Amino acid sequence: MKIAQRMSAMKPSATIGMKVKADELKKQGKSVLSFAVGEPDFPTPDNVIEAAKAAMDRGETKYTAGSGTTELKEAICAATQRDLGLQYSPSQVVVSNGAKHSLMNIAQVMCDPGDEVIIIAPYWVTYPEQVTFTGANPVVVETHASDDFQPDLSAVRSAVTGRTVSIILNSPSNPTGCVYEREVIEGIAEIAVEHDLAIISDEIYKHIIFDGAEHVSPATLGDEVKERTILVDGVAKTYAMTGWRIGWMIGPETFVKRAGALQEQATACPNSIAQAATVEALNGPQDSVEEMRAEFERRRDFVVERLREIPGVTCATPRGAFYAFPDISEHYGRTLGGREITGSLEMSEYLLEEALISLVPGSAFGADDYIRLSFATSMEDIDGGLSRFKAALE
Ligand code: PMP
Ligand code: GLU
């Protein structure tokens, strides 16, 4: 059967792939400890579950407006006002089947073949794939552990060409846990204004921040920046709602309307019950958000300390999200378990098959010297997994 040319570069998701591999080994009875996927291990809060049940009982089981219900859009606007002090109207919101879907909609609405989108590396696996799918080209700007993965403004500036249409920001970052400094966001916003670029700001981890670090959304830097910024967020990480599949974009009405039209043709609307549950997640009590954040911080401390005890492993301190991104490249060139470790892929295969721990190779994030470990899992598993990791490298 014919397969479209534009599919030729599309790779399956490495993060989802590693999760599935680990699940398969578990089914075979192997005691795999999985640190692969970025998915809170906590249950969805009870009030959210109850709201979903109540929505079903009320018969809210039909199609909704394509871009989401008015109630949910209003709740998203209220939450954005509460969290960022920003005013938006419901007509500036499109609710989708997860933030990943929102990002795909944005890429489709924004990019023409030959356009360029600046992506900061290490990047979340999905950004370059979505950009490439439109025929546009990702232009990667590297960051370094020695700078705590803060982007260098002159490197960003030199990545801009006449074809650049936008820059994707992700702070707190998946996979590095870097929280961009205010000056960095301000500098990038200045470049965007100067060159008339859109800023796609993926803030899905904005509530998971450690050490009192400050989350700065570019949209808060004045109207000139807000008007060119599209905020992306969702409930997956903040409310432990990965499987409910609700995310959204907020931005200029003219752009967002087009995304709504695209979505209506692609999937009619997001799930009606999950939308009702999200209204409760956003409007209801927020205590569980802080409880989960505090627990992630406790785990972060533990993970970083334990990683740094492993010879040949260095790790920058993540200030947000729930990933550690250690540099393991000192171990490259070794032969472990009968195989030569030439990079992060071989290392992750070795660790999965021999040590029964599943992690995502840094190569998937454009940084082969590293491996990503999600600490959105129990302390007990983290403890056991890091002992296995250490033993496997010794
Ligand atoms: N952005 C980043 C940086 C992520 O890590 C994820 C993880 N899934 C998403 C977006 C997408 O989230 P969602 O589950 O809402 O699609
Ligand atoms: N964002 C999470 C991760 O990076 C979930 C998996 C995915 O959506 O790719 O692991």
Side-chain angles (χ1 to χ4, degrees), residues 21 50 115 192 237 252 272 302 325 348 350 380:
K21 245 190 195 170
E50 289 309 317
D115 286 348
K237 320 290 172 175
S272 60
F302 182 69
F325 203 55
S348 62
Y350 162 68
E380 194 189 341

Side-chain angles (χ1 to χ4, degrees), residues 173-230:
S173 151
N174 175 6
T176 66
C178 171
V179 175
Y180 295 174
E181 305 281 359
R182 175 174 282 278
E183 303 84 77
V184 169
I185 304 266
E186 281 172 354
I188 290 174
E190 210 176 287
I191 296 168
V193 170
E194 199 178 307
H195 294 277
D196 194 20
L197 312 180
I199 302 172
I200 301 161
S201 185
D202 178 352
E203 303 184 10
I204 193 131
Y205 297 101
K206 76 170 184 285
H207 289 287
I208 306 173
I209 292 219
F210 314 132
D211 311 321
E214 182 192 21
H215 169 73
V216 179
S217 173
T220 60
L221 301 178
D223 285 346
E224 207 179 10
V225 186
K226 186 182 174 203
E227 280 157 17
R228 62 182 62 254
T229 299
I230 306 171

Side-chain angles (χ1 to χ4, degrees), residues 13 15-16 36-39 100 124-126 174 205 237 242 245 322-323 360 365 372 374:
S13 162
T15 47
I16 302 281
V37 75
E39 169 161 69
K100 191 185 265 188
W124 182 43
V125 278
T126 293
N174 175 6
Y205 297 101
K237 320 290 172 175
T242 45
R245 310 309 304 130
F322 36 60
Y323 308 99
V360 186
F365 308 98
R372 192 191 77 174
S374 159

Side-chain angles (χ1 to χ4, degrees), residues 14-80:
T15 47
I16 302 281
M18 284 307 281
K19 173 189 158 76
V20 171
K21 245 190 195 170
D23 287 349
E24 271 164 17
L25 287 172
K26 278 185 205 165
K27 262 196 210 140
Q28 292 166 18
K30 301 209 167 125
S31 73
V32 176
L33 295 176
S34 184
F35 307 98
V37 75
E39 169 161 69
D41 53 318
F42 306 107
T44 300
D46 286 343
N47 61 316
V48 177
I49 306 262
E50 289 309 317
K53 289 181 187 164
M56 283 190 272
D57 289 341
R58 285 195 306 271
E60 287 179 26
T61 52
K62 312 282 190 206
Y63 292 130
T64 70
S67 56
T69 64
T70 304
E71 292 76 12
L72 179 50
K73 289 182 190 173
E74 283 170 351
I76 289 167
C77 290
T80 308

Side-chain angles (χ1 to χ4, degrees), residues 375-386:
F375 50 84
T377 186
S378 72
M379 270 295 209
E380 194 189 341
D381 281 5
I382 294 171
D383 188 21
L386 287 171

